[in-house]
Amino acid sequence: MNRRNFIAAVPAAAFSGRAFATSRQENPVRDRPDVHGGDRIDGATWASRSPAWGLHGAAATAHPLATLAAIEILKAGGSAVDAAVCANAVLGFGEPISCGVGGDCFAMLWDPKSRKVLGINGSGRSPKTLTLAEQRKRANAKGLINSYGAVSVSVPGAVDAWWTLHQRFGKLPWKDLFQPAIRHAEEGAPVVQNVAFYVGSSERIFNKPESHIEEAANFNALWAPDGKTPREGEVFRNPMLAHTYRLIAEGGGRAFYEGEIADRIEAYFKRIGGWMTKADLAAHQTEWVEPHSINYRGTDVWGLPPNSQGLVTLQMLNIMEQFDIKGMGFQSAMTLHHEVEAKRLAFEDRARFYADPNFYKQPTEWLLSKAYAKQRAALIRSDKILDPAYAGQAPSHGDTTYFTVADKDGMMVSQIQSNYRGMGSGLMPDGLGFMFQNRGELFALQDGHPNIYAPGKRPFQTIIPGFATRGGEPVLSFGVMGGDMQPQGQAQVISNLIDFDLGLQEAGDAPRWHHEGGNEPTGEQLGNPGKLNLETGVPDATKKALAELGWPLAPNPGVYGGYEAIQRHPGRYAAATEMRKDGTALAY
């Protein structure tokens, strides 16, 4: 019996009566921070599960259908790149709150032939006809670019990034990689928990007049045709996205930037009074970039250069290395205090020095030097909060989804893709079934700022894949999704693995902190010392000691990111996933 016949054969009575509660709002018993998970017979007491182990390949994504699709591609003889592209397409349908063909994409990968870590920058540029003067005219009350609408849209880079990766490392035909996503988009699939929650919140935002979105009718027609967005478990279909995927599958990666899709995008922006053109799309090209690395206690940790924030993780770890984090104790107040102070110092540099390298020369070698890290670490006190935190004095010279796949040949892909703020700008082109990103919000508007808006410029980017090697061998492909949480989460995961010798799943399940405050790459000032968010699992004694140090504590749910990872061992892989998301890790 096929799927459709099975659903048709289920008695209607099975769906009638009281529905199961699917959110905290519907069932207050679910919101009990004093209740913790069950006890495991082995492993850390807080761990949600053990890693998945396999000999031939592994995948970890934020959606079970994407992980399953990646494994199927690997079993069919595809490379890790093939599986990553396939998984990303499925995520664009199943997890549109984080990603899609309307967003950007970055990746690092281990190439077993060259035995190198390679990097790719798949971020797009601002429209050529949208001027700085126009952006300033339309700025919000804070003097910043609006979070939604056409002013926030930059050219989507994801599809060309997939194409560029596949042209170099693909084994299976390009069109085969889109078949699982096309099938799911046409037949439909049950909406998972986080997607249901965030689509609902997006609907409320996109329909507010103060969001300044030129039109929300396309979003409402697809996601809330009856005035309500789908609940967890309800089947959602997107035949328009299936059509877009078919065009890309048959026409190659450039089919997104030329032809029918580009024509529709240009016509849409003309209709709503926006600026994106076919010329902007056709001019887009993905770039291979050189990743940078630092050594943290014997492990080389890698990050991508700007306009990505990948080097922030490396700066944080360099500062943390100056302290005996292990001796301070796991989840202790002193450990968290020193990690947060390292974050604050690195993020001040992020606000001052990170921008499109075609417009600004960042002092990368200086920022990543151990000597500079020692200078910055010397500012941190164990008995008080640094106030204010500030950027270093440089020498005078010039919501997201992460996933990882590994194959039988030793290739490991660490990939991240995003529409930025949740689902993105709120704008969905007519008949194409996807939403444009709002990365353009991350430009600054102040004269002299390295990240100041300019036509044809790439904005500062928060999305960063992670990678680690040891002794010239790949050991870890990982990431922590979620805006400015990404480098904060990456540094915590690396410390959990190296300083505290936690297992792969345990390192991600451990309670996290998230700090908000200081200066932003947009020029916005969030204040000092900011706000320190702590998960409920952080020990009470630690919370008390941090408050006594003067940290303003705020237990804010949902800001702690999403972790996926694959660890390479001799002849085998371990894969872990995020208990805070809806994902699955599989290996075979």
Side-chain angles (χ1 to χ4, degrees), residues 166-185:
H166 181 263
Q167 290 293 97
R168 184 167 176 179
F169 294 110
K171 290 184 177 180
L172 298 182
W174 169 259
K175 63 181 177 62
D176 292 357
L177 309 183
F178 292 87
Q179 300 315 305
I182 291 170
R183 183 177 68 252
H184 292 313

Side-chain angles (χ1 to χ4, degrees), residues 122-297:
S123 63
R125 292 166 170 79
S126 55
K128 285 290 185 69
T129 59
L130 178 55
T131 65
L132 174 61
E134 187 68 21
Q135 283 281 26
R136 283 174 167 165
K137 186 174 100 174
R138 295 171 178 264
N140 62 25
K142 295 181 179 180
L144 306 172
I145 294 173
N146 281 312
S147 300
Y148 305 100
V151 293
S152 70
V153 178
S154 51
V155 172
V159 177
D160 193 63
W162 301 348
W163 180 246
T164 302
L165 286 164
H166 181 263
Q167 290 293 97
R168 184 167 176 179
F169 294 110
K171 290 184 177 180
L172 298 182
W174 169 259
K175 63 181 177 62
D176 292 357
L177 309 183
F178 292 87
Q179 300 315 305
I182 291 170
R183 183 177 68 252
H184 292 313
E186 288 182 339
E187 294 184 358
V191 175
V192 295
Q193 190 175 80
N194 278 281
V195 171
F197 177 86
Y198 284 111
V199 170
S201 62
S202 295
E203 188 273 335
R204 293 187 290 274
I205 291 170
F206 296 157
N207 286 285
K208 288 180 178 179
E210 55 266 35
S211 294
H212 302 289
I213 297 173
E214 286 81 356
E215 70 86 26
N218 286 354
F219 168 83
N220 291 329
L222 180 63
W223 284 101
D226 300 318
K228 294 182 180 179
T229 57
R231 298 176 62 199
E232 178 190 353
E234 291 183 357
V235 175
F236 171 75
R237 297 173 177 83
N238 192 344
M240 292 183 292
L241 181 62
H243 173 69
T244 299
Y245 279 159
R246 287 191 185 281
L247 293 173
I248 295 169
E250 297 299 329
R254 295 306 298 177
F256 185 88
Y257 303 89
E258 302 159 8
E260 179 183 332
I261 296 175
D263 289 340
R264 289 195 179 197
I265 290 173
E266 182 176 73
Y268 175 72
F269 279 105
K270 283 184 178 179
R271 178 171 77 80
I272 67 170
W275 295 270
M276 187 79 68
T277 67
K278 290 191 296 184
D280 292 321
L281 294 164
H284 175 75
Q285 294 290 331
T286 299
E287 295 182 2
W288 289 98
V289 294
E290 191 73 27
H292 296 273
S293 68
I294 58 94
N295 187 275
Y296 184 74
R297 310 191 202 279

Side-chain angles (χ1 to χ4, degrees), residues 24 108 142 153 217 374 430 448 468 509-510 534:
R24 287 191 178 92
M108 281 192 288
K142 295 181 179 180
V153 178
K374 288 180 180 179
D430 300 328
D509 284 347
L534 299 176

Side-chain angles (χ1 to χ4, degrees), residues 88 103-109 118-124 157-158 161-162 165 286-287 289 303-310 400-403 413-418 437 439 458-466 486:
N88 205 164
D104 284 343
C105 177
F106 287 80
M108 281 192 288
L109 62 91
L118 306 179
I120 200 165
N121 181 330
S123 63
W162 301 348
L165 286 164
T286 299
E287 295 182 2
V289 294
L304 292 179
N307 53 319
S308 157
Q309 66 172 339
T400 299
T401 195
Y402 172 82
F403 51 98
V413 177
S414 178
Q415 191 161 320
I416 198 159
Q417 208 254 299
S418 174
Q437 64 184 357
R439 282 284 164 189
R458 293 175 298 187
F460 166 80
Q461 283 273 353
T462 58
I463 56 176
I464 52 173
Q486 293 177 56

Side-chain angles (χ1 to χ4, degrees), residues 6 25 65 99 115 245 299 332 350 391 404 415 452 515 571:
F6 168 76
Q25 289 76 14
L65 292 179
C99 66
R115 299 192 57 76
Y245 279 159
T299 297
S332 74
R350 182 187 84 144
T404 177
Q415 191 161 320
I452 188 172
H515 178 263

